[in-house]
Amino acid sequence: MAFAGKVWRLLVGIKDGLSLVFLLLFFSLLYAVLTARPSPAQIREGALLLELNGSVVEEKSQIDPIAALLSGTLPAGEFQVRDLVHALDTAATDDRIKAVVLDLNQFLGGGQVHITEVGAALDRVRAADKPVLAWATGYADDSMMLAAHASEVWVDPLGGAVIAGPGGDRLYYGALLERLNINARVYKVGTYKSAVEPYDRNDMSEPARENANALYGALWEEWQANVKKARPKINLDLVTKSPAEWIAASKGDLAAASLAAGLVDKLGSREEFGARVAEIAGKDDWDKTPGTYRSTELDAWMAGNSVDTPGEAIGVVTIAGEIVDGDAGPGTAGGDRIADLLDEALNDDLKALVVRVNSPGGSVLASEEIRRAILRHKANEIPIVVSMANVAASGGYWVATPADRIFAEPETITGSIGIFAVIPTFEDALAEWGVNGDGVRTTPLSGQPDLLNGFTPEVDAILQSTVEDGYTDFLTRVSESRNMTTAQVDEVGQGRVWDGGTARQLGLVDQYGGLTDALAWAASEAELEDGDWHPKFLGSTPDGFNSLLGSMLMGDEADARTGTDLFGMIAQREQALGARVVSDLDRLMGGRGMQAYCLECPVTPASTSGKDAGFFAKLVRLFAD
């Protein structure tokens, strides 16, 4: 028995040892996969293929692994604008690249500033005598704006192009909330601060309509000017002013109508388009499938063309997406996360700091937390520059106030200087079912805030006073930053949203320019010569886990082409409608504190990881503000 026991313990020891070895091998392999990058050896002579199955963004969103694994799907693909611009600029000067191919069949769009930046990079490719070819089943506003910079624009004979222009309806829930006896208590400052209107109105107010008309009109003029410059032969008046007659003239054949209006150059299937690309880039010797050609994809190209980092570092912090309390992001601007990134960079001996903003705003508390972190860098007596992308409004403008100089583009949406909060209470709904509240108070605030039985007049007064004080703080910060009086800021404030061109005239922006211009100005102010500095993007280390998770979940999904003809575009709008309703309800019921948020600005999906202590805690914060 003793001998048998020793043998058993030996076998158990061998088993434990082998288990340990296999665990070490497993985790070593997992680490290798997580840190793996595409090999530069994958770069092939031929075309640079930009298969934009998703949207162009300022900063890629973080994948929620639990939600992704449970659903078995990933969010739509995202492509950082700076990656696309870098890829195109390096391709323009690389002899291995004979052409650039834009596959826009599943392109979901991007803001006008981002599309303009990528379009300018495409122009530089063409200036280097390299053709740019685009193909899609269907083109909409954003994809058409991008494709306009191509040498040849192809569309599937069963597809076509439709231009809608900015604007459209949004949902108003005032009558519904009244029918449900839900009291949406609105606290705001700003005649034009329309973000609360969906909850206490059934339609758009006249001030909001006036503001939206001016804003969207300016954006539409910029869109048309960009497309007409890139594609002079296009007949936009025909396409946009009489769309039904335009399509009827081609007997309902949208592809033929698109060709006639100069929106596209050629009709052809993906296989026919691929054969055309192969004439320029060469046939693919590895794959004989019809429509293939020699190409290098974006990830492999970026891996083999890393950004140079000479000399001193100029920090770049990205504030992208809705500004929320907590650690949310990337892709959502969690106040704690961004402030931590900025504080960690205090030890990096940065020569300047560029704040890249692409946000419609959000939490006042989080915006102020970010602003204070930026000021800690300013205390080091380094230049602080703000670069506005598609949108830098409300809280997005709040965080820009420490800047020595603000750069924006004519298409940038900014301003929206105003504050609001909206809180639902349910006393009327409960009373309808015979439920009433009663009790004893020692002060007017006893038992408050009471969401079920309503607020006392004192609570309403305190909340409105808090919002008014927040607006005064906003005016003061802008006044000190822009060398304006608070009265002057109030005149351009009141929640009004401005396009970048008008904002520059009003003094809210200093000059036109993108991130490259902002970096160059910061370097000049820091007395750095060209070639003696590089941008250091704070917190932008590639996430290997996201890449692995994406590969696991997507599988061959990229090869499962989805049709995007006119009816497919309508279906995509239907899916987006559900997300918009959820977002509206979350803004009402989500327990947010004071908000500096722009309703007219493009909606940015928010990550739930940024939510913190909850509804009641945020109500308490309203009193503490």
Side-chain angles (χ1 to χ4, degrees):
M1 292 296 294
F3 176 73
K6 290 179 181 180
V7 172
W8 175 252
R9 285 193 293 272
L10 176 62
L11 292 175
V12 170
I14 293 172
K15 183 265 294 182
D16 291 342
L18 289 174
S19 298
L20 180 60
V21 169
F22 282 119
L23 281 173
L24 289 173
L25 288 173
F26 172 77
F27 284 113
S28 297
L29 179 61
L30 182 62
Y31 176 79
V33 172
L34 292 178
T35 56
R37 292 178 60 81
S39 169
Q42 291 179 298
I43 293 178
R44 305 173 63 195
E45 182 174 311
L48 172 62
L49 172 58
L50 300 182
E51 195 171 15
L52 302 183
N53 297 340
S55 55
V56 177
V57 298
E58 186 65 39
E59 179 182 53
K60 285 186 178 181
S61 301
Q62 188 80 10
I63 296 175
D64 183 339
I66 303 301
L69 288 171
L70 287 176
S71 66
T73 60
L74 281 174
E78 295 178 334
F79 302 88
Q80 291 187 153
V81 62
R82 65 174 181 267
D83 291 343
L84 293 174
V85 170
H86 176 71
L88 290 167
D89 284 339
T90 51
T93 58
D94 194 307
D95 292 338
R96 293 173 294 180
I97 298 302
K98 309 302 180 185
V100 169
V101 174
L102 293 175
D103 186 333
L104 302 176
N105 200 44
Q106 297 181 57
F107 183 56
L108 300 180
Q112 279 189 222
V113 171
H114 285 161
I115 300 298
T116 300
E117 291 178 4
V118 178
L122 291 170
D123 290 342
R124 292 192 288 273
V125 172
R126 293 181 61 181
D129 293 328
K130 297 185 179 184
V132 177
L133 299 95
W135 185 88
T137 304
Y139 293 95
D141 295 34
D142 288 352
S143 52
M144 192 66 247
M145 185 178 180
L146 194 57
H149 294 268
S151 316
E152 296 180 16
V153 181
W154 288 60
V155 71
D156 190 283
L158 295 180
V162 175
I163 307 302
D169 292 341
R170 66 163 296 112
L171 298 176
Y172 289 81
Y173 305 95
L176 173 63
L177 295 176
E178 184 178 351
R179 177 175 295 183
L180 296 175
N181 285 320
I182 296 175
N183 185 5
R185 295 174 179 267
V186 169
Y187 312 91
K188 73 165 187 172
V189 180
T191 302
Y192 298 93
K193 199 63 183 175
S194 60
V196 295
E197 289 187 357
Y199 309 113
D200 65 355
R201 293 183 60 92
N202 299 318
D203 57 5
M204 178 182 283
S205 69
E206 284 308 311
R209 189 179 304 278
E210 173 197 338
N211 192 188
N213 276 327
L215 175 66
Y216 294 145
L219 295 178
W220 178 229
E221 289 298 325
E222 290 292 340
W223 189 95
Q224 292 180 88
N226 184 298
V227 172
K228 288 177 180 178
K229 181 180 178 181
R231 198 169 181 80
K233 63 182 180 180
I234 197 169
N235 190 346
L236 279 180
D237 286 343
L238 174 65
V239 172
T240 60
K241 293 181 179 179
S242 305
E245 292 84 351
W246 160 57
I247 296 174
S250 296
K251 299 181 179 180
D253 188 334
L254 186 57
S258 301
L259 184 64
L263 293 171
V264 302
D265 297 305
K266 297 184 179 180
L267 309 184
S269 66
R270 181 185 291 276
E271 291 72 24
E272 291 168 329
F273 173 75
R276 167 61 179 147
V277 176
E279 293 175 2
I280 303 169
K283 295 182 179 179
D284 191 345
D285 298 329
W286 300 352
D287 188 350
K288 300 302 182 181
T289 304
T292 57
Y293 46 87
R294 286 205 304 267
S295 65
T296 299
E297 295 185 354
L298 177 63
D299 287 343
W301 182 256
M302 290 294 295
N305 291 274
S306 58
V307 179
D308 294 333
T309 57
E312 305 287 355
I314 295 178
V316 181
V317 64
T318 302
I319 301 171
E322 184 173 350
I323 299 174
V324 300
D325 300 313
D327 295 319
T332 300
D336 290 345
R337 178 181 64 85
I338 293 174
D340 288 345
L341 288 175
L342 287 164
D343 287 344
E344 290 169 5
L346 288 170
N347 299 317
D348 292 346
D349 191 28
L350 301 177
K351 300 305 178 185
L353 177 67
V354 175
V355 182
R356 178 68 166 176
V357 183
N358 191 54
S359 171
S363 165
V364 171
L365 289 173
S367 300
E368 176 63 7
E369 185 176 10
I370 295 170
R371 187 190 77 91
R372 291 171 182 170
I374 296 170
L375 287 174
R376 289 192 280 275
H377 280 268
K378 194 166 189 174
N380 286 341
E381 298 183 350
I382 63 172
I384 306 294
V385 188
V386 164
S387 171
M388 295 179 171
N390 300 302
V391 54
S394 286
Y397 197 87
W398 185 296
V399 300
T401 55
D404 298 312
R405 198 158 190 82
I406 296 178
F407 287 77
E409 299 288 7
E411 305 93 336
T412 298
I413 301 172
T414 189
S416 191
I417 299 169
I419 301 287
F420 75 90
V422 56
I423 303 170
T425 58
F426 304 92
E427 64 274 19
D428 295 337
L430 292 176
E432 185 178 2
W433 290 91
V435 179
N436 295 284
D438 197 6
V440 175
R441 295 191 179 97
T442 55
T443 77
L445 301 183
S446 295
Q448 293 291 322
D450 190 337
L451 302 181
L452 298 180
N453 295 305
F455 295 170
T456 63
E458 291 81 1
V459 171
D460 275 329
I462 290 172
L463 292 176
Q464 180 60 33
S465 295
T466 303
V467 169
E468 291 173 2
D469 180 65
Y471 181 63
T472 300
D473 289 341
F474 206 160
L475 294 181
T476 301
R477 282 156 177 69
V478 177
S479 170
E480 294 172 349
S481 170
R482 308 307 302 166
N483 294 319
M484 302 166 68
T485 66
T486 54
Q488 289 173 321
V489 179
D490 184 48
E491 188 176 346
V492 300
Q494 291 289 323
R496 187 155 187 167
V497 187
W498 306 98
D499 63 278
T502 306
R504 184 183 180 189
Q505 296 173 6
L506 296 173
L508 296 175
V509 167
D510 292 303
Q511 70 182 76
Y512 293 145
L515 180 59
T516 300
D517 302 295
L519 284 164
W521 190 90
S524 175
E525 289 296 299
E527 299 181 351
L528 298 174
E529 300 291 335
D530 290 345
D532 292 338
W533 60 272
H534 68 277
K536 179 178 181 179
F537 290 88
L538 307 184
S540 62
T541 303
D543 189 341
F545 178 78
N546 270 11
S547 299
L548 175 64
L549 187 60
S551 299
M552 291 170 58
L553 291 174
M554 293 297 283
D556 296 327
E557 186 176 331
D559 295 328
R561 312 288 182 184
T562 302
T564 50
D565 59 11
L566 183 58
F567 292 96
M569 293 177 187
I570 294 173
Q572 289 178 351
R573 290 291 183 92
E574 289 176 349
Q575 294 173 358
L577 176 62
R580 186 171 66 181
V581 172
V582 170
S583 177
D584 288 342
L585 292 177
D586 180 61
R587 191 160 302 283
L588 175 65
M589 307 294 293
R592 300 162 187 258
M594 282 198 304
Q595 296 286 297
Y597 183 84
C598 167
L599 182 71
E600 294 86 351
C601 299
V603 176
T604 305
S607 168
T608 56
S609 61
K611 296 182 180 178
D612 56 3
F615 191 57
F616 291 99
K618 289 182 178 179
L619 278 177
V620 172
R621 286 188 180 184
L622 284 173
F623 293 101
D625 242 347

